[in-house]
Amino acid sequence: METKKSDGGEQGTTERVLTLLGLLQQRRLWTGPELADRLGVTPRTVRRDVERLRALGYPVHAAQGVGGGYRLGPGQTLPPLLLDDREAIATAVSLLAGAGGEVAGAGDAALRALTKLDQVLPARLRHEVRALSGSVDSFGTGRTPVDPETLMTLARACRDQVEAAFDYPSGDERHRRRVEPHRLVTSDRRWYLLAYDLDRDDWRTFRVDRVTDATPRTWRFRPRETPDAAAYVHEGVASRAYPHQARFLVHAPAETVRNQIPASAAVVHPRGPAHCEIHSGAAGLDFLLLHVLLLGHDFEALHPPELKTRCQALARRLLAAAEPSPPPPTPPRDLGA
């Protein structure tokens, strides 16, 4: 006795369409009868479900005749992806590795994608993601390693606009900080969190590799008027964090100077096609002068005022070092010898 296939009702339609999408992602080409047999429906229902997928943005192509059938092709936009458990785990672990990578811009993009995946990742898969990501290591001169769970906790707090608390070093001690997280920012060396510090009533930059015991709090906050996250963190890391800050006008294009200085060491602003201004900080003004001097371009000291005095003192010292030393005095002869 032949079993009659159902045309499918409203109940189960969504699940069946998702199953159809999964089949189209598994194999390049399916015939209509093959899909109908797999789904337990009629070819007419398969055609209707294909139209539903097309309405959602999936480019399902159909061809008639011998060798024809249905296949999933590339589209103009990226539609939602259907992942099974193993694919979701592999994707999450790869994104965690990419978040610490060295490709320009890839870390921030990987973290954004990871927060989207994290929002729908089943709880049963989270411990597997953590276990696998903990077994991945790297070498070379990439970013300072950060704890993936800390990174994800702060990313979730930024995404959901909820307060967060964590321990952070201050001198020789660690203190509990309560913040409104705004953005995670990457540099060529580290991850940073830009957040509003509730106890200090001001914006602060935190190195994520120094954050421990990060926990989200239960209440949401109303977003404040925020500075440009990347510019604020860059300025703070390169200049404000040091006891001495200085500005120089360099007679060279900004792009040339940026290629000579790590992003974490200075902020470079273009000043026309042939000049740029450097903002940097250090423990002493002489160190800043030598750093700019060794770039090999003519420059002017702009700020602070005492920088010009240090330039003159350094110039005298360099000129004195270039003068030939007088010959040592000849010891007197012993005439009685």
Side-chain angles (χ1 to χ4, degrees):
M1 181 177 178
E2 186 175 339
T3 303
K4 184 179 179 181
K5 294 182 179 179
S6 168
D7 280 343
E10 290 299 325
Q11 185 176 5
T13 299
T14 301
E15 183 179 353
R16 189 183 64 248
V17 171
L18 290 175
T19 303
L20 172 61
L21 176 59
L23 291 172
L24 292 171
Q25 289 176 334
Q26 288 175 16
R27 206 168 84 185
R28 178 171 176 78
L29 186 68
W30 292 86
T31 67
E34 284 177 326
L35 291 173
D37 185 62
R38 284 293 193 102
L39 297 171
V41 296
T42 64
R44 181 183 178 186
T45 300
V46 171
R47 290 193 294 271
R48 288 177 176 174
D49 288 347
V50 165
E51 289 303 321
R52 290 185 176 100
L53 286 176
R54 287 171 176 163
L56 292 172
Y58 293 95
V60 183
H61 302 303
Q64 302 294 328
V66 178
Y70 296 99
R71 66 181 178 88
L72 193 63
Q76 299 299 318
T77 59
L78 182 65
L81 298 177
L82 183 66
L83 303 175
D84 61 26
D85 285 5
R86 294 172 119 185
E87 292 168 339
I89 292 171
T91 301
V93 172
S94 299
L95 289 171
L96 276 169
E102 298 180 33
V103 180
D108 192 37
L111 188 61
R112 289 198 306 271
L114 186 58
T115 57
K116 293 178 182 178
L117 180 61
D118 172 74
Q119 195 164 6
V120 296
L121 194 67
R124 68 178 186 277
L125 301 183
R126 294 185 190 278
H127 75 280
E128 295 189 47
V129 172
R130 285 196 295 267
L132 284 173
S133 62
S135 66
V136 176
D137 212 339
S138 62
F139 63 91
T141 58
R143 294 191 185 94
T144 303
V146 298
D147 175 52
E149 190 63 31
T150 298
L151 193 63
M152 280 305 304
T153 297
L154 297 177
R156 290 188 204 108
C158 292
R159 179 194 68 198
D160 299 336
Q161 295 179 348
V162 296
E163 293 181 12
F166 51 79
D167 293 336
Y168 199 76
S170 178
D172 296 331
E173 300 179 351
R174 300 187 71 85
H175 298 282
R176 196 69 176 167
R177 309 293 284 266
R178 299 183 309 114
V179 303
E180 295 176 354
H182 173 55
R183 291 282 291 176
L184 284 162
V185 179
T186 59
S187 75
D188 53 345
R189 297 174 57 192
R190 296 186 176 95
W191 280 98
Y192 298 92
L193 172 69
L194 175 62
Y196 194 85
D197 194 313
L198 295 171
D199 295 320
R200 289 155 180 80
D201 198 24
D202 199 2
W203 291 100
R204 290 290 188 271
T205 299
F206 302 94
R207 276 177 49 175
V208 176
D209 58 292
R210 293 180 175 176
V211 171
T212 57
D213 194 21
T215 55
R217 298 169 71 85
T218 55
W219 47 86
R220 300 185 62 182
F221 59 86
R222 179 175 296 178
R224 302 171 185 267
E225 184 177 349
T226 57
D228 180 280
Y232 187 91
V233 172
H234 190 187
E235 185 79 31
V237 170
S239 178
R240 289 193 304 268
Y242 295 94
H244 295 277
Q245 293 89 41
R247 293 190 292 111
F248 303 88
L249 180 66
V250 180
H251 298 199
E255 193 60 32
T256 300
V257 175
R258 286 195 185 107
N259 290 332
Q260 294 179 279
I261 304 177
S264 56
V267 180
V268 181
H269 298 289
R271 293 291 180 263
H275 297 80
C276 63
E277 189 172 314
I278 293 179
H279 295 190
S280 189
L285 292 178
D286 287 354
F287 179 86
L288 290 170
L289 279 170
L290 287 172
H291 190 75
V292 176
L293 180 67
L294 291 175
L295 294 177
H297 310 296
D298 292 339
F299 68 92
E300 302 170 31
L302 300 179
H303 185 80
E306 59 265 29
L307 199 57
K308 296 184 183 295
T309 304
R310 298 309 307 160
C311 282
Q312 295 167 355
L314 183 60
R316 288 194 296 268
R317 200 176 308 156
L318 291 171
L319 287 172
E323 293 294 331
S325 302
T330 303
R333 295 180 59 189
D334 188 352
L335 299 178

mmCIF file with all atom_site columns, all heavy atoms in Angstrom, residues 126-137:
data_model
loop_
_atom_site.group_PDB
_atom_site.id
_atom_site.type_symbol
_atom_site.label_atom_id
_atom_site.label_alt_id
_atom_site.label_comp_id
_atom_site.label_asym_id
_atom_site.label_entity_id
_atom_site.label_seq_id
_atom_site.pdbx_PDB_ins_code
_atom_site.Cartn_x
_atom_site.Cartn_y
_atom_site.Cartn_z
_atom_site.occupancy
_atom_site.B_iso_or_equiv
_atom_site.pdbx_formal_charge
_atom_site.auth_seq_id
_atom_site.auth_comp_id
_atom_site.auth_asym_id
_atom_site.auth_atom_id
_atom_site.pdbx_PDB_model_num
ATOM 1  N N   . ARG A 1 126 ? 27.693 26.197 25.138 1.00 0.00 ? 126 ARG A N   1
ATOM 2  C CA  . ARG A 1 126 ? 28.644 27.197 25.605 1.00 0.00 ? 126 ARG A CA  1
ATOM 3  C C   . ARG A 1 126 ? 29.876 26.572 26.253 1.00 0.00 ? 126 ARG A C   1
ATOM 4  O O   . ARG A 1 126 ? 31.005 27.038 26.043 1.00 0.00 ? 126 ARG A O   1
ATOM 5  C CB  . ARG A 1 126 ? 27.965 28.146 26.599 1.00 0.00 ? 126 ARG A CB  1
ATOM 6  C CG  . ARG A 1 126 ? 26.877 28.987 25.966 1.00 0.00 ? 126 ARG A CG  1
ATOM 7  C CD  . ARG A 1 126 ? 26.322 29.999 26.966 1.00 0.00 ? 126 ARG A CD  1
ATOM 8  N NE  . ARG A 1 126 ? 25.137 30.623 26.447 1.00 0.00 ? 126 ARG A NE  1
ATOM 9  C CZ  . ARG A 1 126 ? 25.137 31.650 25.604 1.00 0.00 ? 126 ARG A CZ  1
ATOM 10 N NH1 . ARG A 1 126 ? 26.299 32.139 25.214 1.00 0.00 ? 126 ARG A NH1 1
ATOM 11 N NH2 . ARG A 1 126 ? 24.004 32.167 25.168 1.00 0.00 ? 126 ARG A NH2 1
ATOM 12 N N   . HIS A 1 127 ? 29.706 25.504 27.054 1.00 0.00 ? 127 HIS A N   1
ATOM 13 C CA  . HIS A 1 127 ? 30.860 24.915 27.724 1.00 0.00 ? 127 HIS A CA  1
ATOM 14 C C   . HIS A 1 127 ? 31.790 24.252 26.711 1.00 0.00 ? 127 HIS A C   1
ATOM 15 O O   . HIS A 1 127 ? 33.005 24.225 26.911 1.00 0.00 ? 127 HIS A O   1
ATOM 16 C CB  . HIS A 1 127 ? 30.398 23.906 28.781 1.00 0.00 ? 127 HIS A CB  1
ATOM 17 C CG  . HIS A 1 127 ? 29.914 22.605 28.227 1.00 0.00 ? 127 HIS A CG  1
ATOM 18 N ND1 . HIS A 1 127 ? 28.644 22.467 27.700 1.00 0.00 ? 127 HIS A ND1 1
ATOM 19 C CD2 . HIS A 1 127 ? 30.530 21.399 28.089 1.00 0.00 ? 127 HIS A CD2 1
ATOM 20 C CE1 . HIS A 1 127 ? 28.488 21.220 27.263 1.00 0.00 ? 127 HIS A CE1 1
ATOM 21 N NE2 . HIS A 1 127 ? 29.609 20.556 27.485 1.00 0.00 ? 127 HIS A NE2 1
ATOM 22 N N   . GLU A 1 128 ? 31.240 23.754 25.600 1.00 0.00 ? 128 GLU A N   1
ATOM 23 C CA  . GLU A 1 128 ? 32.097 23.169 24.575 1.00 0.00 ? 128 GLU A CA  1
ATOM 24 C C   . GLU A 1 128 ? 32.908 24.247 23.863 1.00 0.00 ? 128 GLU A C   1
ATOM 25 O O   . GLU A 1 128 ? 34.085 24.042 23.545 1.00 0.00 ? 128 GLU A O   1
ATOM 26 C CB  . GLU A 1 128 ? 31.246 22.396 23.567 1.00 0.00 ? 128 GLU A CB  1
ATOM 27 C CG  . GLU A 1 128 ? 30.531 21.189 24.156 1.00 0.00 ? 128 GLU A CG  1
ATOM 28 C CD  . GLU A 1 128 ? 29.880 20.342 23.076 1.00 0.00 ? 128 GLU A CD  1
ATOM 29 O OE1 . GLU A 1 128 ? 30.562 20.069 22.079 1.00 0.00 ? 128 GLU A OE1 1
ATOM 30 O OE2 . GLU A 1 128 ? 28.711 19.968 23.246 1.00 0.00 ? 128 GLU A OE2 1
ATOM 31 N N   . VAL A 1 129 ? 32.297 25.395 23.611 1.00 0.00 ? 129 VAL A N   1
ATOM 32 C CA  . VAL A 1 129 ? 33.018 26.506 22.997 1.00 0.00 ? 129 VAL A CA  1
ATOM 33 C C   . VAL A 1 129 ? 34.157 26.961 23.901 1.00 0.00 ? 129 VAL A C   1
ATOM 34 O O   . VAL A 1 129 ? 35.290 27.179 23.458 1.00 0.00 ? 129 VAL A O   1
ATOM 35 C CB  . VAL A 1 129 ? 32.061 27.675 22.695 1.00 0.00 ? 129 VAL A CB  1
ATOM 36 C CG1 . VAL A 1 129 ? 32.840 28.910 22.242 1.00 0.00 ? 129 VAL A CG1 1
ATOM 37 C CG2 . VAL A 1 129 ? 31.053 27.267 21.627 1.00 0.00 ? 129 VAL A CG2 1
ATOM 38 N N   . ARG A 1 130 ? 33.880 27.095 25.209 1.00 0.00 ? 130 ARG A N   1
ATOM 39 C CA  . ARG A 1 130 ? 34.910 27.523 26.149 1.00 0.00 ? 130 ARG A CA  1
ATOM 40 C C   . ARG A 1 130 ? 36.047 26.507 26.214 1.00 0.00 ? 130 ARG A C   1
ATOM 41 O O   . ARG A 1 130 ? 37.223 26.870 26.250 1.00 0.00 ? 130 ARG A O   1
ATOM 42 C CB  . ARG A 1 130 ? 34.306 27.730 27.542 1.00 0.00 ? 130 ARG A CB  1
ATOM 43 C CG  . ARG A 1 130 ? 33.486 28.999 27.685 1.00 0.00 ? 130 ARG A CG  1
ATOM 44 C CD  . ARG A 1 130 ? 33.244 29.339 29.150 1.00 0.00 ? 130 ARG A CD  1
ATOM 45 N NE  . ARG A 1 130 ? 32.436 28.329 29.797 1.00 0.00 ? 130 ARG A NE  1
ATOM 46 C CZ  . ARG A 1 130 ? 31.120 28.387 29.899 1.00 0.00 ? 130 ARG A CZ  1
ATOM 47 N NH1 . ARG A 1 130 ? 30.468 29.394 29.352 1.00 0.00 ? 130 ARG A NH1 1
ATOM 48 N NH2 . ARG A 1 130 ? 30.442 27.444 30.515 1.00 0.00 ? 130 ARG A NH2 1
ATOM 49 N N   . ALA A 1 131 ? 35.704 25.221 26.244 1.00 0.00 ? 131 ALA A N   1
ATOM 50 C CA  . ALA A 1 131 ? 36.729 24.179 26.339 1.00 0.00 ? 131 ALA A CA  1
ATOM 51 C C   . ALA A 1 131 ? 37.622 24.170 25.110 1.00 0.00 ? 131 ALA A C   1
ATOM 52 O O   . ALA A 1 131 ? 38.855 24.078 25.218 1.00 0.00 ? 131 ALA A O   1
ATOM 53 C CB  . ALA A 1 131 ? 36.069 22.812 26.531 1.00 0.00 ? 131 ALA A CB  1
ATOM 54 N N   . LEU A 1 132 ? 37.015 24.284 23.929 1.00 0.00 ? 132 LEU A N   1
ATOM 55 C CA  . LEU A 1 132 ? 37.805 24.255 22.706 1.00 0.00 ? 132 LEU A CA  1
ATOM 56 C C   . LEU A 1 132 ? 38.657 25.510 22.550 1.00 0.00 ? 132 LEU A C   1
ATOM 57 O O   . LEU A 1 132 ? 39.816 25.437 22.154 1.00 0.00 ? 132 LEU A O   1
ATOM 58 C CB  . LEU A 1 132 ? 36.875 24.098 21.495 1.00 0.00 ? 132 LEU A CB  1
ATOM 59 C CG  . LEU A 1 132 ? 36.322 22.687 21.269 1.00 0.00 ? 132 LEU A CG  1
ATOM 60 C CD1 . LEU A 1 132 ? 35.294 22.701 20.155 1.00 0.00 ? 132 LEU A CD1 1
ATOM 61 C CD2 . LEU A 1 132 ? 37.449 21.723 20.915 1.00 0.00 ? 132 LEU A CD2 1
ATOM 62 N N   . SER A 1 133 ? 38.078 26.681 22.870 1.00 0.00 ? 133 SER A N   1
ATOM 63 C CA  . SER A 1 133 ? 38.853 27.916 22.736 1.00 0.00 ? 133 SER A CA  1
ATOM 64 C C   . SER A 1 133 ? 40.019 27.945 23.714 1.00 0.00 ? 133 SER A C   1
ATOM 65 O O   . SER A 1 133 ? 41.066 28.512 23.427 1.00 0.00 ? 133 SER A O   1
ATOM 66 C CB  . SER A 1 133 ? 37.948 29.133 22.967 1.00 0.00 ? 133 SER A CB  1
ATOM 67 O OG  . SER A 1 133 ? 37.419 29.118 24.274 1.00 0.00 ? 133 SER A OG  1
ATOM 68 N N   . GLY A 1 134 ? 39.858 27.299 24.867 1.00 0.00 ? 134 GLY A N   1
ATOM 69 C CA  . GLY A 1 134 ? 40.947 27.241 25.836 1.00 0.00 ? 134 GLY A CA  1
ATOM 70 C C   . GLY A 1 134 ? 42.092 26.355 25.403 1.00 0.00 ? 134 GLY A C   1
ATOM 71 O O   . GLY A 1 134 ? 43.201 26.434 25.948 1.00 0.00 ? 134 GLY A O   1
ATOM 72 N N   . SER A 1 135 ? 41.864 25.515 24.406 1.00 0.00 ? 135 SER A N   1
ATOM 73 C CA  . SER A 1 135 ? 42.923 24.619 23.941 1.00 0.00 ? 135 SER A CA  1
ATOM 74 C C   . SER A 1 135 ? 43.666 25.187 22.740 1.00 0.00 ? 135 SER A C   1
ATOM 75 O O   . SER A 1 135 ? 44.535 24.531 22.179 1.00 0.00 ? 135 SER A O   1
ATOM 76 C CB  . SER A 1 135 ? 42.328 23.255 23.574 1.00 0.00 ? 135 SER A CB  1
ATOM 77 O OG  . SER A 1 135 ? 41.461 23.371 22.464 1.00 0.00 ? 135 SER A OG  1
ATOM 78 N N   . VAL A 1 136 ? 43.297 26.403 22.305 1.00 0.00 ? 136 VAL A N   1
ATOM 79 C CA  . VAL A 1 136 ? 43.939 27.033 21.160 1.00 0.00 ? 136 VAL A CA  1
ATOM 80 C C   . VAL A 1 136 ? 44.988 28.012 21.663 1.00 0.00 ? 136 VAL A C   1
ATOM 81 O O   . VAL A 1 136 ? 44.735 28.819 22.551 1.00 0.00 ? 136 VAL A O   1
ATOM 82 C CB  . VAL A 1 136 ? 42.902 27.775 20.289 1.00 0.00 ? 136 VAL A CB  1
ATOM 83 C CG1 . VAL A 1 136 ? 43.590 28.503 19.144 1.00 0.00 ? 136 VAL A CG1 1
ATOM 84 C CG2 . VAL A 1 136 ? 41.886 26.784 19.754 1.00 0.00 ? 136 VAL A CG2 1
ATOM 85 N N   . ASP A 1 137 ? 46.200 27.928 21.104 1.00 0.00 ? 137 ASP A N   1
ATOM 86 C CA  . ASP A 1 137 ? 47.280 28.834 21.483 1.00 0.00 ? 137 ASP A CA  1
ATOM 87 C C   . ASP A 1 137 ? 47.845 29.468 20.223 1.00 0.00 ? 137 ASP A C   1
ATOM 88 O O   . ASP A 1 137 ? 47.493 29.087 19.103 1.00 0.00 ? 137 ASP A O   1
ATOM 89 C CB  . ASP A 1 137 ? 48.385 28.090 22.241 1.00 0.00 ? 137 ASP A CB  1
ATOM 90 C CG  . ASP A 1 137 ? 49.066 28.979 23.271 1.00 0.00 ? 137 ASP A CG  1
ATOM 91 O OD1 . ASP A 1 137 ? 48.982 30.206 23.124 1.00 0.00 ? 137 ASP A OD1 1
ATOM 92 O OD2 . ASP A 1 137 ? 49.670 28.441 24.202 1.00 0.00 ? 137 ASP A OD2 1
#
